[in-house]
Amino acid sequence: MITNERQYKITCAQADRFQHALDEFDTHPREDVHPLLIKAERDALESQLADLRAEIDEYEHLKSANASIISAISFDELADSLIKARIAVGISQKELAERLDLKEQQIQRYESERYNSASYQRIRDIANALGVRIRNDILMPVTPVGFEGVLRKLYQVGLDKDFLFSRLFPSTDIIHFLDELTKKESETLITFTKILNQVFGWTDADLFAPTPLAPPRSAVAEARFKMPARRTRSHTSLYAAYANYLAVVVLKASRDLPQCIIPTDAGKMRKNLIDQYGDLTLNAALQYSWDLGVPVLPLRERSAFHGACWRYEKRNVIILKQSSKYESRWLFDLLHEMFHAAQQPEADTMEIIEADETSAERRNSDEEIAASQFAGDVLLDGRAEDLAKACVQAAKGSVEQLKKAVPDVAKHEKVGIGALANYMAFRLSWQNINWWGVAANLQDEDNDPWRTTCDVFKKRFSFSFENDIDRDLLARALD
């Protein structure tokens, strides 16, 4: 959702870039690429462009329209409704801050985290400053009627419309619904309920009963993770179940991959990577993971959890959910997950869902610490701890001076600045110091790690599916 003019301009620029990329498909056809891959890439670009234009249209409509009512069908949508109201009445984030005697950054923070940290009184103050009234209704459970009724029930359990329409629901059916083509509703509903049953295990009886939906209870939904800001346990469990479903789809189609022993020694892992691929890059590590029989699936959503490693029938699959645009962060996370995949190889199953790197769970878990130390030693040639100490000495014990000390030490010791910065952020997290933002400013943006991970996936994955639903869900996940 676009909340200010700066985001609006950025989104418009992104839309222009996607349109240009689509135009390139027509003016410069690529004969060396399989037609199915070209179609998948084009569909992904068109889907992303449609999402961006929808955000632009919504923002422009709010700014131009004389809206009298902005509806929120659940308490979770109240925050978005307040943001829309601010835009509709023509008040900027800075002006709202001035009315409340706050800093503009505080309003930006409130809106970016959807008022999760705001008190009830603060929300009332916001509404009063905007001059809007909030009408409260308590609705008793009713039996859902039609497609819209099912959507409302899904919103209540934590599945927001952006996720439903971008990841679960076929785009052609969205058009049918939004255009109110009632003759298509029954067909649309059958398709959608089938998807929900397949991914979450909800039956038609669950979906059309007046009682609330229960999040799927499974080992994957109850695995360890910290509840992220703005997200309920229900939402996190649902997204974990969705990601796990995709992981199983990938594993089923990857049965022909070799099953090799994953090195647990950082020195051996580093040597194998360099010997086989000549360098220690994200692309090399991804290829090596696939060589070992461990597919790596990237997912775009920034919510719910940070990454995952699952094992079924002694086969591992890694989910990367790093929202950063820096290759060294993706590489650190991949090596971290490969450490998990190497543990207890005799076990048939394993479920690890990663909390955010700043969480207490990761700071206090011996296995998480060992996984991050492993990643650091692979990237820094077994010298991670020594280099971290050198950085502290160069900074004379000052956290503020580390931003200058880390590049100096990296240059002197001939190691990657990004790799060393990430390891320092990990080490500082032990002292409850969040240095990840500073570490991000020391990264190199030359490559697109999301695109790199997707490209390797598309080249190595078999694209054999048991049904059309699995194929479509994975295609939308890779948009």
Side-chain angles (χ1 to χ4, degrees), residues 250-440:
V250 170
L251 280 178
K252 286 179 179 178
S254 303
R255 291 190 179 101
D256 293 337
L257 287 178
Q259 284 186 283
C260 304
I261 297 174
I262 304 171
T264 55
D265 178 76
K268 185 175 182 180
M269 174 73 79
R270 179 184 174 89
K271 183 177 186 302
N272 289 354
L273 276 165
I274 294 175
D275 286 349
Q276 292 185 40
Y277 293 97
D279 202 355
L280 218 171
T281 63
L282 175 61
N283 183 278
L286 289 165
Q287 299 284 3
Y288 185 52
S289 182
W290 282 85
D291 290 345
L292 294 172
V294 184
V296 181
L297 173 65
L299 295 180
R300 267 233 195 266
E301 279 69 30
R302 299 181 181 184
S303 62
F305 59 88
H306 192 72
C309 179
W310 280 299
R311 180 185 301 157
Y312 295 106
E313 298 178 353
K314 296 189 176 182
R315 286 190 170 274
N316 296 294
V317 58
I318 289 172
I319 302 290
L320 288 185
K321 278 187 77 273
Q322 175 57 257
S323 60
S324 166
K325 298 180 180 180
Y326 310 115
E327 178 171 314
S328 58
R329 283 296 303 278
W330 284 65
L331 179 54
F332 187 92
D333 280 6
L334 175 56
L335 293 169
H336 180 107
E337 297 305 326
M338 289 178 74
F339 175 88
H340 287 312
Q343 304 307 303
Q344 300 178 331
E346 71 285 353
D348 287 336
T349 62
M350 176 179 66
E351 294 101 4
I352 292 177
I353 298 180
E354 300 287 6
D356 186 83
E357 60 269 317
T358 61
S359 68
E361 285 85 345
R362 291 187 76 165
R363 291 198 308 271
N364 300 327
S365 166
D366 290 341
E367 184 179 356
E368 288 298 303
I369 291 171
S372 290
Q373 287 179 323
F374 173 82
D377 279 332
V378 173
L379 294 170
L380 299 170
D381 198 13
R383 298 184 292 151
E385 279 299 297
D386 291 339
L387 292 172
K389 292 177 182 177
C391 290
V392 173
Q393 291 175 353
K396 297 180 180 179
S398 168
V399 175
E400 290 75 16
Q401 295 299 318
L402 278 174
K403 186 173 182 179
K404 179 179 184 303
V406 168
D408 290 344
V409 171
K411 183 178 180 180
H412 183 266
E413 299 294 335
K414 298 180 181 179
V415 297
I417 296 175
L420 183 54
N422 288 329
Y423 189 75
M424 279 304 306
F426 153 68
R427 289 293 280 108
L428 287 169
S429 69
W430 287 4
Q431 301 167 249
N432 203 22
I433 297 173
N434 185 352
W435 204 68
W436 288 102
V438 181

